[in-house]
Amino acid sequence: AQSVTQLGSHVSVSEGALVLLRCNYSSSVPPYLFWYVQYPNQGLQLLLKYTSAATLVKGINGFEAEFKKSETSFHLTKPSAHMRDAAEYFCAVSDNSWGKLQFGAGTQVVVTP
Amino acid sequence: DTGVSQDPRHKITKRGQNVTFRCDPISEHNRLYWYRQTLGQGPEFLTYFQNEAQLEKSRLLSDRFSAERPKGSFSTLEIQRTEQGDSAMYLCASSSTGSGTNEKLFFGSGTQLSVL
């Protein structure tokens, strides 16, 4: 069985500051890991995914995430927050190659001027 | 590519009524998924189709829930005898098997169900 824990349901960052969203997972097999973003009134959109090819994964909109097996973590970062980054972010894990994902509870990001 | 379309966007119903939601996936996608999202939680997997075959439905919440994809294109999710606990956002997603691993899911904007 897999599970995902996202630390912090709400994060507030200043524009231009570092964005750090934490995700820890549990999985009995090597996992596939994902970050999705949900903007208001829009569908979930894939930011990036870990496929075991590289531990540092770069995604869209300047986001990246690092897979750390020893810490069972897949934290999402962006060096400089922009107002348009205000959204809800979900970490997800899968133990297979298709679309049955286990999502975390999400982290709402607020960006202040 | 017009994206994944879900209809209706909002549905208000009375307890005990039946409701049906429709999902139109991206046209070339052969896989279709239903998820449910309640307030403050992430999406929860319900069921999955590959073409017209429903390959996993173990997560459908009760026998009041059923899903179909009769021609391998659009899908419907029906909830019979709705209960207040069914109030949630119902999400549809689609993907293509393509090269195989780590498929990218494309999500619709969802149908928000409110059961009074």
Side-chain angles (χ1 to χ4, degrees), chain B residues 92-112:
Chain B
C92 177
S94 68
S95 69
S96 174
T97 46
S99 60
T101 59
N102 313 119
E103 295 170 16
K104 176 180 178 179
L105 299 188
F106 292 80
F107 281 86
S109 298
T111 293
Q112 180 67 53

Side-chain angles (χ1 to χ4, degrees), chain B residues 22-56:
Chain B
R22 178 181 170 120
C23 171
D24 286 272
I26 293 171
S27 58
E28 63 269 25
H29 285 182
N30 59 343
R31 289 183 173 175
L32 186 148
Y33 311 82
W34 285 99
Y35 281 79
R36 186 179 85 149
Q37 186 176 14
T38 53
L39 199 61
Q41 299 298 318
E44 173 189 15
F45 173 82
L46 294 179
T47 189
Y48 145 67
F49 292 85
Q50 179 158 318
N51 300 312
E52 66 274 11
Q54 190 172 15
L55 297 187
E56 180 160 344

